Each structure stands twice: as C-alpha cells, then as structure tokens.
Amino acid sequence: FVSSDGPVHAVRVFDFAMTISDMNNLVDLTARSKDSQGRAYSAGISNNGVYERQAAVKRDDTSERGNIQIKHGKYEVLDVFYGTPHSRSGCLYSVSTITVDGSMKLTFNPAS
C-alpha cells in the first residue's frame, strides 16, 4: 500500500470527495440523528503502553519488582489481546493497543 503511493491517492480521493459533497452538513445531520445518539463519528482509543515496561508481580524472595519479560524459560509471550469497554463513554468504535516485543498489537472492538 505504501510503496504504491496508496496514502497519497487516499488523500486525493478524500480531498475530491470533500470538494463535491456537503460533508460538513452530512456529519452534522448524522450527529443529530436519534439513531446514532451523537456517536456516529466517535472513537475511543486506549493504550496500555509497552508490555515490557510494566512492573511485574513482586516475588517473596526479592525486595524489588522487576519489569515484565516476554520470555520466561521455555515460554514466550507472542501476542496480548487487550481491550477496555467504552460503553459508558459512548464511542462507536473502540481500539485498545499494547506494544509487545516492539510490535504494536491492536484490538478492535466495535459497538454491537
């Protein structure tokens, strides 16, 4: 997508659509709709940070809490699925993120 100038073309298409449509009016009407309850264009993002920077559970034989590690002997954490509810905040689209081993993991949980 990036190597074929996809982002450049996406911006051009968006600019063209904004030029020929009355997008501001459409957004306003949709936001006022009783069906969308003002949530039509809302998103909630929660970020749990970097997995390996979080403090681990304190063990009885140590005086300090180390950081969580992705490798534990023969076991390794590959993915973490992290999500938070946004039912009280009322957003339509909710994305929760956490970074594990230098890779950002996204959990998309839209309203039903």
Side-chain angles (χ1 to χ4, degrees), residues 4-67:
S4 65
D5 289 331
V8 172
H9 298 303
V11 170
R12 288 180 181 148
V13 168
F14 181 78
D15 181 57
F16 174 72
M18 290 295 289
T19 302
I20 65 169
S21 68
D22 190 7
M23 187 60 75
N24 288 334
N25 188 44
L26 176 63
V27 169
D28 181 58
L29 290 172
T30 306
R32 292 173 190 262
S33 166
K34 65 178 176 63
D35 295 326
S36 71
Q37 299 177 5
R39 301 177 184 181
Y41 297 98
S42 62
I45 309 295
S46 60
N47 185 354
N48 199 23
V50 178
Y51 182 76
E52 297 92 323
R53 290 188 187 164
Q54 299 180 36
V57 175
K58 183 179 174 186
R59 301 293 178 197
D60 293 333
D61 58 345
T62 62
S63 61
E64 294 183 19
R65 290 173 59 184
N67 286 355

Side-chain angles (χ1 to χ4, degrees), residues 51 68-79 101:
Y51 182 76
I68 294 175
Q69 301 298 312
I70 59 167
K71 293 183 181 180
H72 302 274
K74 64 180 183 176
Y75 300 103
E76 182 176 359
V77 175
L78 300 176
D79 283 318
D101 194 25

